[in-house]
Amino acid sequence: MEVLHIGSDHAGYQLKMLLVGELEKLGWKINDHGSHSRESCDYPLVAHPLCNAIAQDGSMGILICGTGIGMSIAANRHPEIRAALCTTELHARLARRHNDANVLCLGARITGDELALAITVAFLESKFEGGRHQRRIDEINTAK
């Protein structure tokens, strides 16, 4: 059973809880980094610990806030993280296949529940293709 890290701010809490339930049914072991209620909280305080955990164990994660933008920006501050804000299943598949994204970002106020679940499944089922895409990942990793 693979570990999947998940976290949200208050705006993403409801969607996070829906995804946790569905992903557990699919056999994922979930490590929930918060928030644990709809009480207002700051998204970087969730994003940073989640990204640190992924950097340590090499797994994947999902971050959710109102638009997905704040979580995406916070996550991509970590050199080991390639976070992708996805609004379609195609975005999710290509983020994994071509960019080896390891964090999916979702906007709970932008994306409906059923679409968010479909995007999540597409992200988790897709695999990095390597090849010419690996060269580009290596080029990203050498940026200063």
Side-chain angles (χ1 to χ4, degrees), residues 86-89 92-93 104-106 111 114-124:
C86 298
T87 57
T88 69
E89 293 169 72
R93 282 192 292 274
L104 170 64
C105 296
L106 295 168
T111 307
E114 288 184 32
L115 179 56
L117 179 58
I119 290 167
T120 299
V121 169
F123 185 84
L124 296 174

Side-chain angles (χ1 to χ4, degrees), residues 9-75:
D9 68 359
H10 57 282
Y13 175 77
Q14 185 173 338
L15 177 57
K16 180 189 75 166
M17 297 312 297
L18 179 134
L19 292 178
V20 165
E22 294 299 319
L23 292 168
E24 286 177 337
K25 289 178 194 174
L26 294 173
W28 288 90
K29 181 178 186 287
I30 304 297
N31 187 350
D32 187 342
H33 292 264
S35 75
H36 300 289
S37 74
R38 291 185 182 137
E39 185 177 330
S40 183
C41 67
D42 297 331
Y43 59 83
L45 300 178
V46 174
H48 294 315
L50 181 141
C51 291
N52 290 334
I54 290 171
Q56 289 224 345
D57 68 20
S59 60
M60 293 193 298
I62 301 170
L63 288 168
I64 309 163
C65 64
T67 63
I69 296 168
M71 285 293 198
S72 176
I73 292 169

Side-chain angles (χ1 to χ4, degrees), residues 27 64 77 100 104 116 135:
I64 309 163
R77 298 290 296 170
D100 198 19
L104 170 64
R135 182 180 72 244

